[in-house]
Amino acid sequence: MSDVFFYHLTRRPLPDTLRMLLTKSRANGWRVAVRGTDHAALETLDQALWLGPEEDFLAHGLAGQEYDADQPILLTTEPELSYPVECLMSVHGAEVAATEVAQTSRVCVLFDGADEAALACARDQWRRLTQAGVAAQYWSEESGRWEKKAQT
């Protein structure tokens, strides 16, 4: 079973942090699903990824198209995927099940530190997953760089 990495965003916006993590995931050769809770919010992330620096181009797609299963990175609201991925990234409070952690190489939960509801959701996910026996790491950028602050 892989670990779940919780990323507490306090300095960089979600698209920038997501771009960094997606770049690292693709460098590992992983197919990635970015799971959100709201299609319109995923459309905004989709645009931000397309408009990123040319040298940091990340081929990806927004779910609901003809070639979803062929995408190296797929942005989706689906709670279950019809094809395997090595990495699952949760944004906007999207749920992650302990069984999904067991089926992937990495799970990342990104949450906005300025949003009380997002903090509460992340805390709840941490409790649920660790109580189910999932190893978890908490990462914070509060100091200006990413640092691991807790691990179970």
Side-chain angles (χ1 to χ4, degrees):
M1 184 178 290
S2 65
D3 289 2
V4 177
F5 290 67
F6 285 78
Y7 290 94
H8 187 172
L9 283 63
T10 56
R11 292 180 175 254
R12 292 178 193 95
L14 175 60
D16 292 353
T17 302
L18 186 60
R19 187 176 292 112
M20 174 201 61
L21 293 172
L22 289 171
T23 298
K24 289 181 179 190
S25 297
R26 292 299 299 144
N28 285 330
W30 294 341
R31 290 185 70 192
V32 182
V34 177
R35 179 182 295 154
T37 56
D38 177 67
H39 188 75
L42 286 179
E43 286 177 338
T44 300
L45 276 177
D46 176 52
Q47 288 301 311
L49 292 174
W50 283 121
L51 298 174
E54 192 172 318
E55 64 274 6
D56 294 335
F57 174 74
L58 292 164
H60 70 281
L62 191 58
Q65 308 301 315
E66 184 177 350
Y67 299 104
D68 286 359
D70 297 326
Q71 296 296 336
I73 300 168
L74 184 67
L75 284 66
T76 182
T77 58
E78 293 300 315
E80 294 184 23
L81 298 174
S82 59
Y83 62 90
V85 296
E86 289 78 26
C87 182
L88 172 62
M89 296 193 187
S90 164
V91 298
H92 307 125
E95 290 294 321
V96 176
T99 54
E100 292 178 298
V101 179
Q103 298 168 357
T104 60
S105 297
R106 174 78 42 90
V107 172
C108 301
V109 176
L110 290 76
F111 59 99
D112 183 350
D115 181 338
E116 286 300 320
L119 287 170
C121 182
R123 287 181 184 126
D124 182 56
Q125 285 197 63
W126 175 279
R127 268 190 300 281
R128 249 185 331 90
L129 291 170
T130 57
Q131 287 174 356
V134 174
Q137 297 182 19
Y138 167 71
W139 290 79
S140 171
E141 63 174 345
E142 211 168 30
S143 70
R145 63 183 182 87
W146 288 104
E147 295 178 314
K148 182 169 41 172
K149 298 287 190 168
Q151 183 171 356
T152 64

